[in-house]
Amino acid sequence: MALTLSSAAQDLLFREARTANTFTDEPVGDEQVRAIYDLVKYAPTAMNQQPLRVVLVCSPEARERLLGLMAPGNRAKTAAAPLVAVLAADLDFHEELPKVFPHSAGAREMFAENEALRAHSARFNATLQVGYFILGVRAAGLAAGPMAGYDADGIDKEFLDDAHTVLAVVNIGRPGEDAWFDRLPRLTYEEVVTTV
Amino acid sequence: MALTLSSAAQDLLFREARTANTFTDEPVGDEQVRAIYDLVKYAPTAMNQQPLRVVLVCSPEARERLLGLMAPGNRAKTAAAPLVAVLAADLDFHEELPKVFPHSAGAREMFAENEALRAHSARFNATLQVGYFILGVRAAGLAAGPMAGYDADGIDKEFLDDAHTVLAVVNIGRPGEDAWFDRLPRLTYEEVVTTV
């Protein structure tokens, strides 16, 4: 047994969890999103940057605006999902560094002076956190349906301010009927891992 | 109880796991890396792209070459770690799409014709997989020490071919003495999540 994580947890997070395309009507409450966040917030980012920001699209008016910005193939499932989250990177995460990385006096200034470095770091670390968030949704017994097909500039303009940029839109809920296609093939260890 | 994942698994992956700066001498074997990969390979990527590639830096000669490319502050821990992995994105992941996303006949060609889209997609999805991999190391009862401080062009040139680019270098092993600093503060739910 090479893994410490229980087989049930392996199944819940990785082996039996799937990207859902349909959902039941069961609502996803604030307390569930809070529990997910309060778990995944501990996963690591460089210099504890934590640039991920989350916009929960709850009102019918906001959902309608979002649907108009999704790729046609994503609209029906985004309309039907109990909850939709816009996951974004905070390009001004450095303003939080004096609080979240307090022992490094120059960290805020280093990023303040280098916008390209800051944008790269925000995107990279917030994308790590998107991965953690997807597994956190599964830890709550829910299915995540992450999507990349949308008008990114439109979402930035409609749902975020100038200091934030969208990374993914995620449908969240209990899987419904015919929620997924057959599992697609994974690359083998030999195809992915080499040794030098 | 808003989460389905057991409290022990929450601790193992998120709450008690920490980014380690020191390690014991206990080696990390191939079979552990294989078990980690065979778990995390199931986590989702857009169009099942799976662009993550892993180079295990095992020989003393390769470790020495890598140390010369790490930022000074990362050299001692990278020298002492039982295993060091270079995590990279395959910028030519589209060549695998006929196998891993077989029902979409035009997917390979879409990425073949648009190098900028391909590079963006490779980096984004491989970075999601870096997040999954870090949690997979923890699922094996090991500590991960992900690092961003290195000469990226140097690692690309020394350890990868033209179609791959480094995303992170990760030390892997059992935590040693004084393996970590105090837990740094996390942003609150209210600071990260908004509702529209």
Side-chain angles (χ1 to χ4, degrees):
Chain A
M1 189 63 186
L3 296 180
T4 303
L5 188 70
S6 73
S7 185
Q10 295 178 36
D11 286 344
L12 180 70
L13 298 181
F14 293 100
R15 277 198 299 259
E16 292 183 359
R18 302 287 308 281
T19 295
N21 293 307
T22 72
F23 297 93
T24 70
D25 289 339
E26 187 181 332
V28 177
D30 272 11
E31 74 287 353
Q32 285 171 295
V33 182
R34 188 177 288 268
I36 291 166
Y37 177 70
D38 281 338
L39 183 68
V40 301
K41 70 183 181 187
Y42 291 114
T45 54
M47 301 173 79
N48 200 33
Q49 291 172 15
Q50 307 172 68
L52 180 71
R53 300 295 178 268
V54 179
V55 180
L56 302 178
V57 182
C58 291
S59 75
E61 175 274 324
R63 180 77 67 106
E64 203 56 43
R65 272 194 295 142
L66 181 62
L67 291 182
L69 298 164
M70 300 303 295
N74 287 330
R75 268 177 211 158
K77 56 190 172 190
T78 304
L83 182 65
V84 182
V86 172
L87 304 189
D90 182 356
L91 304 173
D92 283 348
F93 69 87
H94 64 299
E95 300 294 357
E96 309 292 336
L97 288 176
K99 182 169 64 181
V100 297
F101 205 61
H103 57 285
S104 180
R108 185 197 161 280
E109 286 64 34
M110 179 181 78
F111 286 108
E113 289 163 7
N114 190 336
E115 196 167 347
L117 173 71
R118 197 164 85 235
H120 174 81
S121 200
R123 283 178 176 278
F124 176 77
N125 286 286
T127 301
L128 289 182
Q129 291 184 288
V130 172
Y132 305 147
F133 186 88
I134 290 168
L135 296 183
V137 169
R138 293 168 164 198
L142 299 167
M147 296 172 291
Y150 48 71
D151 170 357
D153 291 340
I155 291 183
D156 283 358
K157 193 172 166 195
E158 286 280 326
F159 289 91
L160 303 167
D161 68 21
D162 285 352
H164 295 78
T165 188
V166 61
L167 296 175
V169 178
V170 183
N171 295 327
I172 302 171
R174 297 229 177 256
E177 280 184 52
D178 298 321
W180 33 66
F181 308 112
D182 287 342
R183 172 76 88 183
L184 289 165
R186 294 305 193 262
L187 297 175
T188 65
Y189 182 82
E190 285 72 18
E191 289 171 311
V192 168
V193 182
T194 54
T195 298
V196 294
Chain B
M1 189 63 185
L3 296 181
T4 303
L5 188 70
S6 72
S7 186
Q10 294 178 35
D11 287 344
L12 179 70
L13 299 182
F14 294 99
R15 278 198 298 259
E16 293 183 359
R18 301 287 308 280
T19 294
N21 293 306
T22 71
F23 297 92
T24 70
D25 290 341
E26 187 181 332
V28 177
D30 272 9
E31 74 287 354
Q32 284 170 293
V33 182
R34 187 178 290 267
I36 291 165
Y37 176 71
D38 281 338
L39 182 68
V40 302
K41 71 182 180 186
Y42 291 114
T45 54
M47 301 172 80
N48 199 32
Q49 291 171 16
Q50 308 171 66
L52 179 72
R53 299 293 179 271
V54 179
V55 180
L56 302 177
V57 181
C58 292
S59 75
E61 174 275 325
R63 180 77 67 105
E64 203 56 44
R65 272 193 295 142
L66 180 63
L67 292 182
L69 298 164
M70 300 303 295
N74 287 330
R75 271 178 209 156
K77 56 190 172 188
T78 304
L83 182 64
V84 182
V86 171
L87 303 189
D90 182 355
L91 304 173
D92 283 348
F93 69 87
H94 64 299
E95 299 294 357
E96 309 292 337
L97 288 177
K99 180 169 63 181
V100 296
F101 205 61
H103 56 286
S104 180
R108 184 198 162 282
E109 286 64 34
M110 180 181 75
F111 286 108
E113 287 163 9
N114 189 335
E115 198 167 347
L117 173 71
R118 196 164 85 234
H120 174 82
S121 200
R123 283 178 175 278
F124 176 78
N125 286 287
T127 301
L128 289 182
Q129 290 184 289
V130 171
Y132 306 146
F133 185 88
I134 290 168
L135 296 183
V137 169
R138 294 168 163 198
L142 299 168
M147 297 172 292
Y150 47 71
D151 171 357
D153 290 340
I155 291 182
D156 283 357
K157 194 172 163 193
E158 286 280 327
F159 289 91
L160 303 166
D161 67 23
D162 285 351
H164 295 78
T165 189
V166 62
L167 296 175
V169 178
V170 183
N171 295 327
I172 302 171
R174 298 228 177 256
E177 280 186 50
D178 298 321
W180 33 68
F181 310 113
D182 288 342
R183 171 77 85 184
L184 289 165
R186 293 304 194 264
L187 298 175
T188 65
Y189 182 82
E190 285 72 19
E191 289 173 310
V192 169
V193 182
T194 53
T195 298
V196 293

